[in-house]
């Protein structure tokens, strides 16, 4: 299970939440039924986890008061 991407885990959770059986989900996602059960156990235990990459958002290039207010400074 540890070699699954976030996307693949999301596919498994999505398939399960949409009502597919463990066997159907395993076939659809090309994984074992044990993997489906492990992913769903983690999902049930910890809820939906956001990307494991630390702070994966792109940094803002805005500076000063405009960045604080979330507005773009305009030239006069």
């Amino acid at each position: 299970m540890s070699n699954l991407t976030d996307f693949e885990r999301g596919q498994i959770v999505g398939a399960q939440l949409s009502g597919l059986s463990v066997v159907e989900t395993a076939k659809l996602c090309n994984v074992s039924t044990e993997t489906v059960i492990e992913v769903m156990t983690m999902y049930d235990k910890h809820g939906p986890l956001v990307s494991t990459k630390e702070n994966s958002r792109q940094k803002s290039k805005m500076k000063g008061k405009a960045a604080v207010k979330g507005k773009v400074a305009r030239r006069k």
Side-chain angles (χ1 to χ4, degrees), residues 11-25 28 40:
Q11 284 184 310
I12 292 169
V13 171
Q16 286 284 278
L17 294 179
S18 71
L20 292 180
S21 71
V22 171
V23 172
E24 291 169 326
T25 300
L28 178 70
M40 291 311 296

Side-chain angles (χ1 to χ4, degrees), residues 51-62:
S51 177
T52 56
K53 295 177 185 174
E54 195 172 317
N55 204 3
S56 60
R57 291 187 322 156
Q58 185 177 13
K59 303 278 188 225
S60 173
K61 293 181 182 179
M62 297 173 64

